[in-house]
Amino acid sequence: MLIDKTEISKHREISKAVKDSKINPFIEDAELLDLKPLLGNKMYFDLVANKTEANYVKLLDGGSFDVGEIEYSFVGLKKILSIFVDARYKLFGSATDTPFGLVEKSNQDSQPVSIATKKDIYTKNRQIAYQYFSDVKLFLDNNKTDYPLWKTDCKQRVTGGFRISKIS
């Protein structure tokens, strides 16, 4: 995995009581279902295999780069991935499997967040992550010699926009 619970806590609020066994499946899902389509299969698997190489360390951690006379900065894939994980965890993470079925725990001092609120948080976090990725994309587009696998097989999805439907 490219990140862990400690990395997520640097970018989003997450309880210290969350066990690795609970959060790790969300990290794996975010890597494979959110990040891999953005990078493409070849670049994603090369990143996973070579994450300690200098060019990938910069991609993961973020930094700055110049285009012409303008200096840009980007947050790096660790933060973006942390936001994707947080979105998934906040939407799906409160359910607990018990011998009696799937439950959402509550007590006298609290009540579960509504599904509508969870969906809003999920959507907003994903929009934020995609916006941050636009800066990473600019970095990759301007550093193709350091990242030869960029855009060799990825299919970028347009996301975060509005969808208008007509009801008849």
Side-chain angles (χ1 to χ4, degrees):
M1 290 188 300
L2 297 171
I3 63 170
D4 57 19
K5 185 175 82 170
T6 303
E7 185 65 36
I8 297 166
S9 68
K10 293 177 187 176
H11 309 289
R12 291 292 186 262
E13 186 176 337
I14 187 166
S15 171
K16 291 179 183 177
V18 174
K19 295 179 181 174
D20 288 344
S21 61
K22 179 82 170 178
I23 195 77
N24 285 350
F26 295 103
I27 295 171
E28 292 167 355
D29 289 350
E31 284 188 17
L32 292 173
L33 302 175
D34 298 320
L35 185 62
K36 187 174 80 165
L38 294 174
L39 296 177
N41 288 334
K42 291 177 185 175
M43 186 169 181
Y44 170 77
F45 287 113
D46 193 56
L47 168 66
V48 170
N50 301 297
K51 62 185 173 188
T52 58
E53 289 185 9
N55 62 331
Y56 284 139
V57 169
K58 183 170 185 174
L59 185 61
L60 287 166
D61 292 341
S64 60
F65 62 100
D66 295 324
V67 178
E69 296 182 12
I70 300 172
E71 183 177 17
Y72 293 88
S73 63
F74 66 103
V75 297
L77 295 179
K78 285 182 181 178
K79 181 169 184 167
I80 293 166
L81 193 51
S82 295
I83 296 169
F84 277 131
V85 171
D86 187 61
R88 289 178 176 281
Y89 180 71
K90 297 256 166 69
L91 182 59
F92 304 112
S94 63
T96 303
D97 189 21
T98 71
F100 305 103
L102 200 59
V103 299
E104 191 166 49
K105 302 217 174 176
S106 65
N107 64 41
Q108 67 187 23
D109 299 323
S110 66
Q111 77 181 46
V113 175
S114 72
I115 190 69
T117 301
K118 288 180 185 182
K119 286 180 180 177
D120 286 344
I121 292 168
Y122 176 82
T123 301
K124 298 281 189 233
N125 273 351
R126 291 180 61 78
Q127 288 172 344
I128 291 166
Y130 284 121
Q131 187 59 47
Y132 279 136
F133 187 78
S134 68
D135 294 333
V136 172
K137 182 181 178 302
L138 181 65
F139 168 73
L140 290 168
D141 287 343
N142 285 282
N143 291 280
K144 289 179 185 175
T145 55
D146 294 333
Y147 303 94
L149 296 176
W150 170 239
K151 287 192 173 179
T152 56
D153 69 344
C154 62
K155 293 179 177 136
Q156 304 247 338
R157 295 178 286 175
V158 178
T159 59
F162 290 99
R163 181 176 44 194
I164 299 172
S165 300
K166 179 181 175 185
I167 301 174
S168 304

